Amino acid sequence: MDVVVQGRVLVSKLNLEIEAGDCVCLLGLNGSGKTTTLETLANVRSLPQGSVKLEGRPLHDWNRREMAQRVALLTQNHDDPFPTTVLETCLVGRHPHIDFWSWESQDDLNTARQALKEMHLDSLESRLAETLSGGERQRLAIASILAQEPTLLLLDEPINHLDPPHQLLVLDMIKQLAKQGCGVLASFHDISLATRVSNKALLLFDEGEWTFGPVSAVINQDSLESLYKTPFRAIREDSHIHYFPA
């Protein structure tokens, strides 16, 4: 598939498969097409060329309700147009599973509350979402995705705004979801944290070029210097390699 913005091809002829249990980190400079790629895969943006399949079926064969039961998209912006509580906001993730004209069941409430607990927000369920800090609001958006119970998660900078303990909390959650059989594609700026949870990587270069494969084959000092156009230093710690701008 091609990823295009206003006639400019950001990613050309992208060909990848995200399997159950995969955690794919998405890396690239600002403006390289990370967000647009995630939105295209989520069917939020039109696909000018190529095709995207979910469980072997083209996206246009799925209705929005069916897709929302399987695919979750975490965006970078979390708007609260109406005054809603933390619990009410989290319950939005349950809407694809609730019949039309029906109210949330006790099971839906329990699922939402468990998601809030996993994101350390259970004590704030009665607070208005608009009163949360940036990091708390980010964790609330992730909790809503957990409540949605998707099988494919498309996450745009999931650890953005988070302090170190909550970065690790979210990374551990991503790793656990992959172990449970979900597929994950997540964009990151912190390479060391990205490779901590990922088994595959998608790198977006200039002029529509990209590379995809196992982390050990795709991410190295040379590829990162080419990707970010800056020198990098590699530091090995046990079996993990940390990469830092030099």
Side-chain angles (χ1 to χ4, degrees):
M1 75 175 193
D2 288 348
V3 177
V4 179
V5 172
Q6 294 185 344
R8 179 190 170 201
V9 179
L10 297 178
V11 187
S12 178
K13 298 178 175 60
L14 178 61
N15 182 17
L16 78 159
E17 182 176 358
I18 302 174
E19 300 177 310
D22 275 345
C23 182
V24 184
C25 60
L26 176 58
L27 305 178
L29 285 170
N30 292 337
S32 61
K34 299 186 299 296
T35 295
T36 311
T37 296
L38 291 167
E39 291 177 345
T40 302
L41 291 172
N43 207 27
V44 173
R45 287 181 176 267
S46 61
L47 185 65
Q49 184 173 330
S51 64
V52 178
K53 293 183 178 180
L54 174 64
E55 298 178 6
R57 290 168 50 192
L59 288 188
H60 58 72
D61 284 355
W62 297 85
N63 63 46
R64 290 192 176 276
R65 179 180 171 84
E66 289 177 325
M67 271 204 66
Q69 291 173 349
R70 295 164 175 81
V71 181
L73 173 66
L74 175 72
T75 62
Q76 292 188 43
N77 299 315
H78 312 303
D79 296 326
D80 299 303
F82 304 105
T84 56
T85 67
V86 167
L87 178 59
E88 289 168 339
T89 303
C90 187
L91 276 167
V92 171
R94 296 303 304 159
H95 288 179
H97 303 279
I98 300 172
D99 292 334
F100 293 113
W101 310 113
S102 297
W103 293 99
E104 297 91 349
S105 67
Q106 188 60 50
D107 285 343
D108 294 318
L109 287 167
N110 292 342
T111 299
R113 286 191 166 110
Q114 179 60 33
L116 291 174
K117 184 177 181 179
E118 291 181 29
M119 287 295 105
H120 296 176
L121 294 170
D122 46 314
S123 64
L124 304 179
E125 70 170 51
S126 298
R127 279 263 303 270
L128 288 177
E130 62 186 14
T131 68
L132 299 180
S133 70
E136 289 169 336
R137 189 61 185 82
Q138 177 78 345
R139 283 187 280 133
L140 176 54
I142 295 171
S144 184
I145 282 179
L146 291 177
Q148 188 177 339
E149 297 183 318
T151 55
L152 175 63
L153 294 87
L154 305 172
L155 310 176
D156 199 358
E157 299 188 28
I159 58 175
N160 194 25
H161 301 303
L162 299 184
D163 53 35
H166 288 114
Q167 286 183 344
L168 296 180
L169 173 71
V170 170
L171 291 172
D172 288 342
M173 176 272 295
I174 291 173
K175 183 185 293 187
Q176 186 61 35
L177 288 172
K179 286 183 179 179
Q180 293 171 1
C182 292
V184 181
L185 174 62
S187 64
F188 292 95
H189 285 299
D190 190 311
I191 300 160
S192 293
L193 290 180
T195 56
R196 177 184 178 129
V197 297
S198 304
N199 64 316
K200 295 179 182 177
L202 173 61
L203 276 54
L204 303 184
F205 296 88
D206 291 335
E207 306 300 327
E209 296 184 3
W210 54 274
T211 186
F212 171 71
V215 166
S216 58
V218 170
I219 295 182
N220 53 59
Q221 187 171 342
D222 289 339
S223 67
L224 292 176
E225 290 181 349
S226 176
L227 183 70
Y228 292 109
K229 306 185 188 315
T230 192
F232 269 80
R233 181 175 58 176
I235 299 177
R236 181 177 292 275
E237 181 187 23
D238 298 326
S239 60
H240 192 71
I241 303 177
H242 300 274
Y243 295 97
F244 303 97

